[in-house]
Amino acid sequence: MRLRVEITEAPLRPEAWIEEVADPSAGAVATFVGVTRNSFRGKGVRYLEYEAYRPMAERALERIGMEIAARWPPVTGVAIAHRVGRVEVGEASVVVAISAPHRAEALAACEFGIGLLKRELPIWKREVLEGGAVWRENEATPGRGGEPP
Amino acid sequence: MRLRVEITEAPLRPEAWIEEVADPSAGAVATFVGVTRNSFRGKGVRYLEYEAYRPMAERALERIGMEIAARWPPVTGVAIAHRVGRVEVGEASVVVAISAPHRAEALAACEFGIGLLKRELPIWKREVLEGGAVWRENEATPGRGGEPP
Amino acid sequence: MTGGTFEVLLFGPAREAAGGDRVSVEVDGPATAGGVVAALERAHPALAPLLPRARVAVNRCYVEAGTPVESGDEIAIIPPVGGG
Amino acid sequence: MTGGTFEVLLFGPAREAAGGDRVSVEVDGPATAGGVVAALERAHPALAPLLPRARVAVNRCYVEAGTPVESGDEIAIIPPVGGG
């Protein structure tokens, strides 16, 4: 299985990550792209600032890839990239691309991957609003303190 | 909701369809890309030839978009493209891109869309193998003769 | 609503079996989608093996066997599809 | 395995609350991840409100409170994350 992960300041190009998982035996590529929205619960968002614990985040992305490989052995490729620094409205903050022979495992692995990433990846999001800024955390993790499942 | 569909002879660029569903209130874009594999049950595949009942296929894609809008009202964009004619190994035959405020509805709508497309879209696939060619049909539809659900 | 000559569009394996992308068929009984299929089966034996698993579209929508057809309708035989 | 001085990495809201990306802390009791958190709570009151909901990573892996820590380990406080 191909596995490539990256934490980067550069804008994310989804097509680069789709190409990354290409494989002659893969009939399906499922991709999730997270994009900065212009509002959060009615408040205008100007931009986001992501901060990472970078070496741990890179390792966490690799573990997500290995966990996907263990759960869906047919998967042929996993590519995950997360941006750090300032991300404007409409820009991608995360791309998860999965290739597999058939669509069911590609789609399921993609959904699993983004869910695990949101719980485990040591990255923090500062939402800069029209009047102030807040640390915006992901929805509560079901209490697990340990390793990624 | 943005809706764009296309049946085309031209190579599909997934990024063009991801851009098509961009929306300032969309935080998630889920994409499925179907790609020509190099083998089917152990037999080498040289290339595929897709044939469409084109006006009906365009209408069917629009209906899939409308069905998605009805089931997931938050969805902000649906773009579906299917290629016809000769498609080489590694090239995309279909792209389904869905944008929505949150990931759950984008991923669910994408999975639903590609499933409905495989059952309903009047397109036929000729698989050109190392020694011959066959019409390859999708897995059996649970017996429904009528309209898309 | 009874009888008449209908043109039927053929695609994929049906087009190949018939050796052409459309056929004409004379319907004697009730002019319904099912009546067209029954007439095709008699008049074009090459198509017969495909018809039990095919759907019928009238004016670009899938229809049930009982749906009436009229002169001028766009009728098509839809063998099991393979898109995606 | 008991006591010692540990450096702890801080990120996001913890970094902001402490006014810096690392702090030193003296651990008197058992040298575990939980012992480090308890010592931080006493020595850096600005961090106290964040600690109950934070996880601890040792050498870039999440650990439980009972996990031993040693001099030279890379210890980090991981407030609730916001990636994606």
Side-chain angles (χ1 to χ4, degrees):
Chain A
M1 189 197 76
R2 271 156 228 262
L3 171 59
R4 194 173 147 220
V5 304
E6 192 169 279
I7 304 289
T8 178
E9 284 84 10
L12 297 179
R13 294 169 51 248
E15 62 272 28
W17 298 90
I18 291 175
E19 282 160 26
E20 196 66 45
V21 297
D23 187 288
S25 70
V29 179
T31 309
F32 178 83
V33 182
V35 182
T36 300
R37 291 195 288 154
N38 63 357
S39 69
F40 184 86
R41 294 190 186 148
K43 287 190 191 157
V45 171
R46 291 173 54 217
Y47 61 89
L48 303 180
E49 280 272 353
Y50 285 96
E51 172 180 342
Y53 177 10
R54 199 152 171 162
M56 181 174 168
E58 283 166 355
R59 181 185 273 199
L61 293 183
E62 283 167 5
R63 284 181 184 210
I64 291 169
M66 289 185 286
E67 180 69 24
I68 287 170
R71 288 184 184 227
W72 290 277
V75 162
T76 47
V78 174
I80 315 178
H82 201 296
R83 199 168 162 193
V84 288
R86 179 169 170 154
V87 181
E88 306 292 338
V89 168
E91 289 187 337
S93 53
V94 64
V95 176
V96 177
I98 310 280
S99 67
H102 301 103
R103 77 181 191 278
E105 58 257 32
L107 288 162
C110 186
E111 180 160 17
F112 172 82
I114 182 64
L116 187 54
L117 181 153
K118 289 204 166 225
R119 293 194 300 275
E120 299 297 333
L121 191 65
I123 283 192
W124 296 270
K125 175 162 70 176
R126 184 97 171 140
E127 214 169 64
V128 181
L129 303 159
E130 297 300 347
V134 290
W135 292 103
R136 180 72 61 200
E137 60 189 67
N138 291 335
E139 313 228 320
T141 311
R144 283 181 303 93
E147 295 285 293
Chain B
M1 189 196 76
R2 271 156 228 262
L3 172 59
R4 195 173 145 219
V5 305
E6 193 169 280
I7 304 288
T8 178
E9 285 84 8
L12 298 179
R13 293 170 51 248
E15 62 272 29
W17 299 90
I18 291 174
E19 283 161 26
E20 194 67 45
V21 297
D23 187 287
S25 69
V29 178
T31 309
F32 178 84
V33 182
V35 181
T36 300
R37 290 196 289 154
N38 64 357
S39 68
F40 185 86
R41 293 189 186 148
K43 286 190 191 158
V45 171
R46 291 174 53 216
Y47 61 89
L48 304 180
E49 280 272 353
Y50 286 96
E51 170 179 342
Y53 177 12
R54 197 153 174 162
M56 181 173 169
E58 283 166 354
R59 181 184 272 200
L61 292 184
E62 283 166 4
R63 284 180 182 210
I64 291 170
M66 289 184 287
E67 181 68 24
I68 287 171
R71 288 184 185 228
W72 290 278
V75 162
T76 46
V78 174
I80 315 177
H82 201 296
R83 198 167 163 194
V84 289
R86 178 167 170 156
V87 180
E88 306 293 339
V89 168
E91 288 187 336
S93 53
V94 65
V95 177
V96 178
I98 311 280
S99 67
H102 301 103
R103 76 179 191 279
E105 59 257 32
L107 288 161
C110 185
E111 180 159 16
F112 172 82
I114 182 65
L116 186 55
L117 181 153
K118 289 204 167 226
R119 294 194 300 275
E120 299 297 333
L121 190 68
I123 283 192
W124 296 270
K125 174 162 71 177
R126 185 97 172 139
E127 213 169 64
V128 181
L129 303 159
E130 296 300 347
V134 290
W135 293 102
R136 180 74 60 200
E137 61 189 66
N138 292 336
E139 312 228 320
T141 310
R144 284 182 302 94
E147 295 284 293
Chain C
M1 286 281 292
T2 309
T5 303
F6 294 89
E7 207 173 41
V8 179
L9 305 179
L10 303 174
F11 297 94
R15 177 186 53 69
E16 192 181 60
D21 63 7
R22 61 190 64 208
V23 290
S24 268
V25 72
E26 193 73 36
V27 177
D28 290 328
T32 61
V36 169
V37 170
L40 272 180
E41 197 167 0
R42 285 190 298 272
H44 300 274
L47 284 175
L50 286 161
L51 294 172
R53 297 177 60 241
R55 287 186 276 181
V56 180
V58 174
N59 299 328
R60 306 171 184 176
C61 291
Y62 291 114
V63 299
E64 304 290 346
T67 303
V69 293
E70 292 178 15
S71 143
D73 282 345
E74 184 174 302
I75 304 172
I77 294 299
I78 311 287
V81 298
Chain D
M1 283 281 292
T2 308
T5 303
F6 293 90
E7 209 176 36
V8 179
L9 305 180
L10 303 174
F11 297 95
R15 177 187 53 69
E16 192 180 59
D21 62 7
R22 61 189 64 210
V23 291
S24 266
V25 72
E26 193 73 35
V27 177
D28 290 329
T32 60
V36 169
V37 170
L40 272 180
E41 197 167 359
R42 286 189 298 272
H44 299 275
L47 284 174
L50 285 161
L51 294 172
R53 298 177 59 238
R55 286 186 276 181
V56 180
V58 174
N59 299 329
R60 306 172 183 176
C61 292
Y62 291 114
V63 298
E64 304 291 346
T67 303
V69 293
E70 292 178 16
S71 146
D73 280 346
E74 184 175 302
I75 305 173
I77 294 299
I78 311 287
V81 298

